[in-house]
């Protein structure tokens, strides 16, 4: 459980850093509103997706036995994990220099 909380905290910190990385001082107020809204929307979409996925794979409570129920939950969780892994592909569009103005690391240019 502690690892899950740590990973969620790390994710939030990283996303917040990227949200403010290219903003000027006057833009940070609007950036804060947009970043907060996007985080709340992403949580809402995640909960809705998890609920719909579970509803598709978990059989009716009255007609299912425990084996069918567990199989349906496992299938739903595996699919949600796959969607999570695939959604991380959006970060492939980041350039090496993105966020460099808030980073203490220096970019090394070879050449």
């Amino acid at each position: 459980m502690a690892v899950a909380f740590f990973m969620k905290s790390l994710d939030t910190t990283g996303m917040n850093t990227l949200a403010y990385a290219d903003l000027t001082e006057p833009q940070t107020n609007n950036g804060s509103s947009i970043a907060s809204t996007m985080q709340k929307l992403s949580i809402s979409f995640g909960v809705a997706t998890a609920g719909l996925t579970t509803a598709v794979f978990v059989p009716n409570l009255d007609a299912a036995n425990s084996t069918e129920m567990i199989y349906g939950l496992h299938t739903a969780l595996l699919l949600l994990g796959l969607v999570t892994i695939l959604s991380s592909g959006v970060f492939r569009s980041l350039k090496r220099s993105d966020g460099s103005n808030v980073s203490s690391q220096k970019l090394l240019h070879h050449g």
Side-chain angles (χ1 to χ4, degrees), residues 15 85-94:
M15 295 301 271
I85 291 168
L86 292 175
S87 68
S88 67
V90 73
F91 296 106
R92 305 256 318 142
S93 66
L94 291 173

Side-chain angles (χ1 to χ4, degrees), residues 10-40:
L10 186 64
D11 174 61
T12 302
T13 302
M15 295 301 271
N16 284 338
T17 302
L18 285 174
Y20 301 113
D22 295 329
L23 299 180
T24 62
E25 192 67 32
Q27 295 173 323
T28 53
N29 190 29
N30 290 338
S32 178
S33 298
I34 291 171
S36 175
T37 302
M38 292 305 294
Q39 286 176 354
K40 288 179 183 359

